[in-house]
Amino acid sequence: MVQRERATIHEVAARAGVSEATVSRALRGLQHVAPETVEQVRRAAAELGYTPSRSAAALATGRARTVSVIVPGVASWFYAAVLEGVDDALRAAGYTVGLVSLSAPDGGRRPLTAAELHAGQAEAHVVIAFELDDDEQALLRATPAPIVTVGGAVEGVRGIGIPEEEAAGMVVEHLAALGHRRIGHIGADREDGLNPGIAAARRDAWRAAVARLGLEARPEWFASGAFRIEASRDAALRVLTGPERPTAIFAASDVSAFGVLLAAQALGLRVPQDLSVAGIDDHPYSAAHGLTTVRQSPREQGARAAAMLLRELGVRGPVPPATPIELVVRASTGPPA
Amino acid sequence: MVQRERATIHEVAARAGVSEATVSRALRGLQHVAPETVEQVRRAAAELGYTPSRSAAALATGRARTVSVIVPGVASWFYAAVLEGVDDALRAAGYTVGLVSLSAPDGGRRPLTAAELHAGQAEAHVVIAFELDDDEQALLRATPAPIVTVGGAVEGVRGIGIPEEEAAGMVVEHLAALGHRRIGHIGADREDGLNPGIAAARRDAWRAAVARLGLEARPEWFASGAFRIEASRDAALRVLTGPERPTAIFAASDVSAFGVLLAAQALGLRVPQDLSVAGIDDHPYSAAHGLTTVRQSPREQGARAAAMLLRELGVRGPVPPATPIELVVRASTGPPA
DNA sequence: TTGAAAGCGCTAACAC
DNA sequence: GTGTTAGCGCTTTCAA
């Protein structure tokens, strides 16, 4: 099929022998169009390779059929997966994603501003909220368009995420059930005004779960790895070279856990004989590393966020139920030697 | 600033006491507008929080100011980085990225079709070409809109990528210079009609470089890991348990190299004393793993692709020069024991 | 069930 | 330098 200039609704109407209005109605599946007319219009459109102009439709209706996805950057497994999930759900509804990546070329991050939020002319927004500072969170609350956050709850804004206490509890209980009495944690500190949600929740849950089991959560058994692999490795090196080192480490994310595994390797500690390690996420590399973890599906979370927004925008279709989180036991955890 | 209904150019014109055409000209920085008029218009626009409607502008000009990015999926470090690079460059030019992720929820991939390509109303396309089959490549050649591929060259379409033979040569020569005589390769096979470009290029370059150095490239020293971590681990296990195992492995990508490192660990081989490992990419986790690799910048490649297209679309601005690839030597390579 | 006409918010050609 | 006019390709009344 040779590419010519894009056909217009006018041409389709001429070819089908009907008016433009009828073509519009027929192609959008509106009621009160004779079945045979619909058929004619469809055929004419197909023959001309007609694709309706989004801009024209947007202008006429005032709805751009776009939902923006605000991400701190897209080069992170979690963010990318959420983005894919949103994309899936939107595509199915004839919507498109307006990507707003806040990552700057220098590795930094642009602030989220009203201009940034509105530039894409989106009807609604999915916001990954892990790294938002207070101003940015306030902006979300002040925005009239529907918003759903994923990861890192923002007060006053609907959010999708996993039950943090439960996830952390699953890991700690699993380790305790294996016989561990000294369970450390590599997570993250509150950083300069950024949303501390997830990091704090998992750290608190570690303390709570450990206490519940009658064990200790010694301060020196915690260190911040900022959810990054190198920093987590270094944090684990500190924790594991202390006087009475933990026999197990609960890492706040799988990437943190990879860092812990590297630290163990550097120290000559066998996993799981000398050190058990478990994370949260089920990162794509976790199975290969034999990492015990709590599985969550960011892709599904993205799809659910999009579905919620679409429903609010008047698009039919149910919001799929959330798959419960699940402990995935692999080779990185076992009884202490 | 309270959010009201979006202001229109009409309101700005009224407030500034000029015509809509003048507002349009002033805001777009066109010539022949009195400086003081520009100032008035700017102020009025700011006071009203005016943001021009993209759909209206697109309809009026016939240009959507959108470039689509076609990716097999976004949950891969490389693809995501390219996407960010494209996003950077487009944003700076007032363009937006139309994301077309071909990944399906079930883990599969939708085919790239003309409808998919045109649905976003993009003026041009950046296509990640690693996984395109013959039909899809033909589609690219038949598309009139400007296209640039990144990764996996497609005949007849401009592409951006690194010099493959040189990259592979750097790794092999580095290993040989350390004294290795048995250098294996974990890469990928040609898979069912997919673009075999990168995989074949690196494999051929391995053979050529090894031959050039007067060494052998025994068939049993190669195995396919399909660029995935588990498959690469398994491939490496096969290669490393053969009769005369290699003392060094050139992995076709850093992810493949991670798999090789896992295999070494499983076999109790010390890195680099018993086995040297090197890849290509400089993946974000590579530094933490101490992996020797050839650094390439997908983000920059994406930015360059976008810049090329923008220039073709008549947007001012230079195409940034490519940073040359570079061997990054880390702890995973050393002289054979 | 269908058509005619008006208009979405902007830009571009042409006057002045 | 600036205003006027006529669309861009759709959707949506309102009539018929």
Side-chain angles (χ1 to χ4, degrees), chain A residues 29-281:
Chain A
L30 298 193
Q31 307 191 318
H32 307 303
V33 186
E36 53 268 35
T37 309
V38 172
E39 189 42 45
Q40 276 168 41
V41 170
R42 286 236 180 86
R43 192 165 38 240
E47 286 165 359
L48 293 171
Y50 172 69
T51 317
S53 155
R54 295 192 131 254
S55 354
L59 184 55
T61 59
R63 317 191 53 186
R65 292 187 154 272
T66 294
V67 171
S68 73
V69 182
I70 321 289
V71 289
V74 83
S76 137
W77 161 73
F78 191 95
Y79 305 155
V82 171
L83 179 58
E84 282 193 350
V86 173
D87 186 67
D88 288 341
L90 292 185
R91 176 184 312 282
Y95 271 64
T96 57
V97 0
L99 178 63
V100 179
S101 168
L102 298 174
S103 70
D106 64 7
R109 170 172 159 279
R110 302 194 314 281
L112 176 59
T113 63
E116 204 85 69
L117 209 51
H118 300 310
Q121 328 260 304
E123 296 177 39
H125 312 278
V126 175
V127 181
I128 307 231
F130 288 121
E131 306 185 5
L132 299 184
D133 65 26
D134 294 340
D135 288 347
E136 293 169 323
Q137 296 189 34
L139 171 64
L140 296 189
R141 280 187 288 270
T143 300
I147 293 185
V148 172
T149 65
V150 177
V154 170
E155 204 184 306
V157 182
R158 281 162 312 171
I160 283 188
I162 59 170
E164 296 297 341
E165 324 70 34
E166 191 186 330
M170 284 170 113
V171 173
V172 173
E173 280 159 26
H174 165 65
L175 294 171
L178 286 170
H180 293 276
R181 315 293 297 164
R182 301 200 302 272
I183 301 174
H185 180 53
I186 299 298
D189 276 329
R190 164 169 218 128
E191 284 178 68
D192 39 300
L194 292 190
N195 186 344
I198 303 289
R202 293 185 187 168
R203 199 172 61 242
D204 294 348
W206 163 65
R207 289 209 191 89
V210 160
R212 200 164 56 235
L213 294 161
L215 306 177
E216 277 184 286
R218 296 197 199 156
E220 65 267 30
W221 291 347
F222 165 80
S224 169
F227 287 93
R228 284 178 288 111
I229 190 166
E230 276 116 332
S232 298
R233 180 199 55 201
D234 297 344
L237 285 175
R238 266 176 275 135
V239 167
L240 293 173
T241 48
E244 239 187 330
R245 64 169 180 77
T247 60
I249 287 195
F250 159 42
S253 77
D254 283 4
V255 169
S256 314
F258 296 152
V260 176
L261 290 175
L262 289 171
Q265 208 177 339
L267 295 173
L269 297 175
R270 293 164 304 161
V271 174
Q273 295 89 340
D274 303 324
L275 182 74
S276 281
V277 181
I280 290 183
D281 271 346

Side-chain angles (χ1 to χ4, degrees), chain B residues 8-326:
Chain B
T8 67
I9 199 172
H10 183 80
E11 302 172 70
V12 178
R15 185 169 191 119
V18 297
S19 72
E20 298 180 19
T22 298
V23 172
S24 176
R25 286 189 278 249
L27 259 23
R28 282 181 300 153
L30 297 193
Q31 307 190 317
H32 307 303
V33 187
E36 53 268 36
T37 309
V38 172
E39 191 40 47
Q40 277 169 40
V41 170
R42 284 237 180 88
R43 193 167 36 242
E47 286 165 0
L48 293 170
Y50 171 70
T51 317
S53 156
R54 297 192 129 252
S55 355
L59 184 55
T61 59
R63 316 192 55 185
R65 292 188 154 270
T66 294
V67 171
S68 72
V69 182
I70 321 289
V71 289
V74 84
S76 138
W77 159 74
F78 192 94
Y79 304 156
V82 170
L83 179 58
E84 281 193 349
V86 173
D87 186 66
D88 288 341
L90 291 185
R91 175 182 315 280
Y95 271 63
T96 57
V97 0
L99 178 63
V100 179
S101 168
L102 266 13
S103 71
D106 63 6
R109 172 174 157 278
R110 303 195 313 283
L112 176 60
T113 62
E116 204 85 70
L117 209 51
H118 301 312
Q121 328 262 305
E123 295 176 39
H125 312 278
V126 175
V127 181
I128 307 232
F130 288 121
E131 306 184 4
L132 299 183
D133 65 25
D134 295 339
D135 287 348
E136 293 169 322
Q137 298 190 33
L139 170 64
L140 297 189
R141 280 187 288 270
T143 300
I147 293 183
V148 172
T149 65
V150 177
V154 170
E155 205 183 306
V157 181
R158 280 161 313 171
I160 282 189
I162 59 170
E164 296 298 342
E165 324 68 35
E166 191 186 330
M170 284 169 113
V171 173
V172 173
E173 279 159 25
H174 165 65
L175 294 171
L178 286 170
H180 293 276
R181 314 294 298 164
R182 300 200 302 271
I183 301 174
H185 180 53
I186 300 297
D189 277 329
R190 165 171 216 127
E191 285 178 68
D192 40 302
L194 293 190
N195 187 344
I198 303 290
R202 294 185 186 169
R203 199 172 61 241
D204 293 348
W206 163 65
R207 289 211 191 89
V210 160
R212 200 165 56 236
L213 294 161
L215 307 177
E216 278 183 283
R218 296 197 200 157
E220 64 268 30
W221 290 346
F222 165 81
S224 168
F227 288 93
R228 284 178 287 112
I229 191 167
E230 276 116 330
S232 297
R233 180 198 56 202
D234 297 344
L237 284 175
R238 265 176 275 135
V239 166
L240 293 172
T241 48
E244 240 188 327
R245 64 169 180 77
T247 60
I249 286 196
F250 159 42
S253 77
D254 283 3
V255 170
S256 314
F258 296 152
V260 176
L261 291 175
L262 289 172
Q265 208 176 339
L267 295 173
L269 297 175
R270 293 164 306 162
V271 174
Q273 296 89 339
D274 303 325
L275 182 73
S276 282
V277 181
I280 290 183
D281 271 345
D282 203 22
H283 184 288
Y285 299 170
S286 295
H289 284 274
L291 180 66
T292 293
T293 189
V294 173
R295 177 177 298 151
Q296 69 166 321
S297 168
R299 182 165 188 146
E300 180 187 281
Q301 292 174 48
R304 279 168 39 76
M308 285 176 60
L309 292 173
L310 284 171
R311 204 162 53 163
E312 204 147 330
L313 295 174
V315 179
R316 47 87 217 240
V319 176
T323 307
I325 56 173
E326 172 192 13

